Amino acid sequence: MTPAELDLRQYAVLGLVQQAGFMALDYFNKSESLGVTMKGAQDWLTVADGAVEDFLRQRLAVMFPQDAIIGEEGGGEASDAVWIIDPIDGTSNFARGDRNWCISIGFLLNGVPEIGILSAPALGEIYVGRKGRGATLNGEAIKVSGQTDIKRAYVELGWSTRIPAERYVAMIGRGYAAGASVKRGGSGALGLAHVANGRTEAYAELHINAWDVAAGVVIAAEAGAFVSDFFSGDGIARGNPILCCTPGLRHELEQITQIGGRQAND
Ligand code: IPD
């Protein structure tokens, strides 16, 4: 695929995600029409998840019929050129009226994340990352904090019921013992974006799915973050652990999280 073909995808899908953002925001603002159900314990679903994913799938299929699509709600198979969609990341926040949620879409070419776009319309924020071309928030270049002192670090540790609570609690304990301030924001995709713009120093999760991180890994890496190689092995189909941090804290955070591995996007 040529750089011009990647440009076309980046700009076309940025427009699509902005439209999808208006759609999702409309659902968010009319909470009575959210149709909240549960996929499992602490695993939320709203009608907006399906509607936003359907909208993106239909438009992508028309614009780039040769590209594969994987979505959190509708599934799909990978191919050399694949879009990976999370229609609403942070659905538990979305369903409760908390603004920390986003639409996430990433494009991988031959297994390499090339384009990442995140729209957080309730926050008025759009993040874009393009491999080799940097990362932006609302059009302005962003970079990681550069912090090197764990005792000044703000670290987000993601959680889901896919991992035993004891392992998660032990990781939090190691973080506090090292002197970090620990938080959880409920959107893994935005967690990565917040490392990219320096609001936090790290995002880590012991297991996360590809749709949660496909956009954020490009945005964070292009902003100068260390990002563990999430897409190694069977990451697209089964998920993987992820560690994303400002580079000066990588060693300490590998010990706190017990997540290692080489840098993604190498
Ligand atoms: C979840 C969020 C959460 C993360 C979970 C994800 P969803 O995605 O990103 O922050 O910790 O691993 O499953 O269900 O809101 O799309």
Side-chain angles (χ1 to χ4, degrees), residues 83-103:
W83 296 96
I84 304 183
I85 301 169
D86 192 340
I88 308 284
D89 186 66
T91 307
S92 62
N93 290 342
F94 183 88
R96 295 166 186 272
D98 182 322
R99 295 175 182 272
N100 201 59
W101 56 269
C102 66
I103 295 164

Side-chain angles (χ1 to χ4, degrees), residues 122-136:
L123 303 170
E125 294 186 340
I126 295 190
Y127 296 84
V128 178
R130 171 80 178 272
K131 184 172 162 48
R133 299 220 188 146
T136 57

